[in-house]
Amino acid sequence: MESEGQGIRPPSPVLVDVTAGDVAACYEFALRCSRLRQYTGAGGWKGGLVPPMNLFGGIEVDGTNAGIVIGKVGEIAMCRLAGVHVDLALKDGGDGGKDLSLPCGRVQVKTGRKPFSSRLIREPIERVDWFVFATWSGLSGSVSIDGYIAYAAVLLFPLNPSKRGTWMNREVPTSRLRPIRPLLSIRPIDEVL
């Protein structure tokens, strides 16, 4: 019998609805973020890995902001699934890699536009407890929450050079992800005792 998230096959994704208002809020966040951080041109960076596109709700976004919007929409979907507050506050130094806090710990949400057989985490890896992977094409009213993996497990995967730059990535096969619902049921030990 095959078991999802045990290295044999990926877990079944959980679909979470998002609204055009969610996308608009994420677009506004992306505009503020890119103005504050001045991404374009920094360190030789010429734009995002996501091309300019027309997003769900009719928002036209350029390549600098498209990836930020897609990532933030993935965070909103995860917050909605977990029943926690969405944080659209912009911090000068960023969020330190922690997108949201759950009872189980600190979470980094990684959102891609396509469902690949492996997911990349750029080095140096953010110091969080869990990585959650999501998929959102940018065109639909739902985000796929694909699964999660522990920080310690990510460190076991080898480093691979990026195909698009000079940085290194950890490549996580989607078959190694765990189903998302059990993560949401983990409670700190002081709550359990």
Side-chain angles (χ1 to χ4, degrees):
M1 178 174 141
E2 286 189 6
S3 180
E4 61 182 334
Q6 300 295 312
I8 299 168
R9 68 180 172 96
S12 297
V14 174
L15 294 179
V16 178
D17 291 336
V18 291
T19 67
D22 294 331
V23 177
C26 291
Y27 177 62
E28 289 301 318
F29 173 87
L31 291 175
R32 292 189 330 249
C33 186
S34 61
R35 276 195 299 267
L36 174 69
R37 307 246 165 77
Q38 300 177 358
Y39 289 127
T40 305
W45 191 70
K46 295 182 176 82
L49 300 177
V50 180
M53 58 189 302
N54 193 2
L55 299 172
F56 176 69
I59 296 172
E60 290 184 38
V61 63
D62 64 16
T64 297
N65 294 305
I68 299 170
V69 175
I70 287 173
K72 205 63 171 174
V73 169
E75 288 178 36
I76 283 180
M78 185 59 201
C79 287
R80 190 158 290 145
L81 181 64
V84 298
H85 172 72
V86 174
D87 183 7
L88 291 174
L90 190 59
K91 300 161 188 85
D92 286 343
D95 60 14
K98 179 189 76 170
D99 291 334
L100 61 137
S101 290
L102 297 176
C104 63
R106 298 164 300 162
V107 176
Q108 172 68 231
V109 180
K110 298 289 190 185
T111 308
R113 288 186 314 126
K114 299 175 184 176
F116 293 107
S117 60
S118 63
R119 306 297 176 89
L120 302 177
I121 300 177
R122 185 176 174 170
E123 282 283 327
I125 296 174
E126 297 95 348
R127 184 62 178 108
V128 294
D129 300 303
W130 312 100
F131 288 93
V132 170
F133 293 92
T135 305
W136 185 56
S137 67
L139 305 173
S140 73
S142 62
V143 174
S144 171
I145 304 295
D146 301 325
Y148 77 97
I149 193 165
Y151 172 87
V154 171
L155 296 177
L156 300 175
F157 294 105
L159 282 169
N160 296 313
S162 168
K163 294 178 175 126
R164 294 197 167 201
T166 58
W167 63 87
M168 301 291 282
N169 295 311
R170 302 267 178 178
E171 189 169 344
V172 178
T174 56
S175 63
R176 299 300 303 268
L177 300 181
R178 308 285 300 181
I180 194 63
R181 297 230 186 254
L183 178 68
L184 301 177
S185 65
I186 297 173
R187 295 288 179 256
I189 194 69
D190 58 341
E191 280 187 26
V192 176
L193 296 177

